[in-house]
Amino acid sequence: MSAYEKFVTGFLDYQSKAAHADPELFARLAVGQTPKCMVIACCDSRVDPAILANAAPGELFILRNVANLVPPCEPDGLYHGTSAALEFAVNALRVEYIVVMGHASCGGVRALMTNDPDIAEVNPFINRWMRIAEPARLRTIEIAAEQSLEHQICICEREVIKVSLLNLLSFPCIAHGVKIGRLRLRGLYFDIASATLFQYQENTDRFEPLR
Ligand SMILES: [Zn+2]
């Protein structure tokens, strides 16, 4: 079975199970969506927020991009897919939470930390995109200069989440929502090997495991 055939078979299996479990589900969903939680996660195939959170269709408004990055607010008239999704989530859906979920073994963060010019040359879009996380790279080098590259990548994966959280606040609609208590921001880090989710604690500047 090809990868595409597996996709189709998987859908048909889901379709029959969903119809059996909740015959009205898609009729309800067709009316509209009212998710209260937005999740910004990496494209990585191992970190699907809906699967990890055991969420049903309609529950999570999910944005996935390389390395779960939020760019700073740049009203420059160019194409900003991530910013457009944020705008819709906050202004139209009026979500109550925005969760940035990073993860271990992130290829985007590895590309950023290895900074290999040959890799950058054949991946100009990734190279340019990952520059959003340059403050995370600099911070990592500052606090872990003597550590191995593998250890630095682990640290940078967490620092990237903090950069995205900070950049969220550069959007006026998000900063306002947070200020008046209508919107809450959260940072999560998924360690794949141990299947553990860590939550960022702003007061201690640490990621603590969720139990
Ligand atoms: Zn990743």
Side-chain angles (χ1 to χ4, degrees):
M1 188 186 290
S2 71
Y4 180 69
E5 286 165 345
K6 190 166 186 322
F7 181 98
V8 172
T9 305
F11 169 73
L12 294 174
D13 187 37
Y14 171 76
Q15 186 188 48
S16 64
K17 282 180 182 161
H20 182 72
D22 184 354
E24 304 302 319
L25 172 66
F26 287 95
R28 284 199 311 274
L29 289 174
V31 176
Q33 61 167 337
T34 54
K36 293 298 166 207
C37 184
M38 177 180 191
V39 185
I40 299 163
C42 184
C43 297
D44 193 295
S45 61
R46 301 164 293 179
V47 295
D48 186 323
I51 293 175
L52 294 177
N54 203 17
E59 278 182 32
L60 298 175
F61 187 72
I62 298 172
L63 170 74
R64 300 180 74 174
N65 62 34
V66 172
N68 39 269
L69 290 178
V70 174
C73 182
E74 294 175 318
D76 52 17
L78 299 178
Y79 300 111
H80 292 291
T82 297
S83 307
L86 285 167
E87 192 174 69
F88 184 70
V90 175
N91 291 344
L93 297 174
R94 300 181 81 80
V95 296
E96 294 167 1
Y97 288 89
I98 301 179
V99 179
V100 177
M101 190 178 80
H103 71 100
S105 310
C106 184
V109 175
R110 175 172 291 275
L112 175 73
M113 290 305 295
T114 50
N115 213 8
D116 185 330
D118 292 336
I119 295 174
E121 197 179 321
V122 291
N123 300 290
F125 287 107
I126 296 174
N127 188 45
R128 173 83 181 129
W129 175 250
M130 288 308 300
R131 283 192 212 168
I132 295 168
E134 181 64 6
R137 189 182 75 82
L138 294 175
R139 173 75 181 141
T140 300
I141 290 170
E142 184 187 322
I143 62 179
E146 307 301 319
Q147 309 277 355
S148 68
L149 175 65
E150 295 308 315
H151 195 69
Q152 286 181 346
I153 289 170
C154 288
I155 291 171
C156 192
E157 286 160 353
R158 291 168 172 81
E159 291 299 320
V160 159
I161 296 165
K162 289 155 64 177
V163 167
S164 285
L165 288 171
L166 199 61
N167 284 347
L168 281 173
L169 292 172
S170 69
F171 290 81
C173 62
I174 295 174
H176 177 70
V178 169
K179 190 178 174 189
I180 64 171
R182 183 170 67 77
L183 185 60
R184 292 175 173 81
L185 310 184
R186 296 285 185 271
L188 294 174
Y189 176 81
F190 182 57
D191 180 59
I192 297 172
S194 66
T196 305
L197 204 51
F198 293 76
Q199 181 174 272
Y200 178 60
Q201 307 287 350
E202 201 175 349
N203 54 344
T204 58
D205 194 28
R206 294 172 64 90
F207 284 81
E208 304 289 351
L210 293 177
R211 301 178 199 285

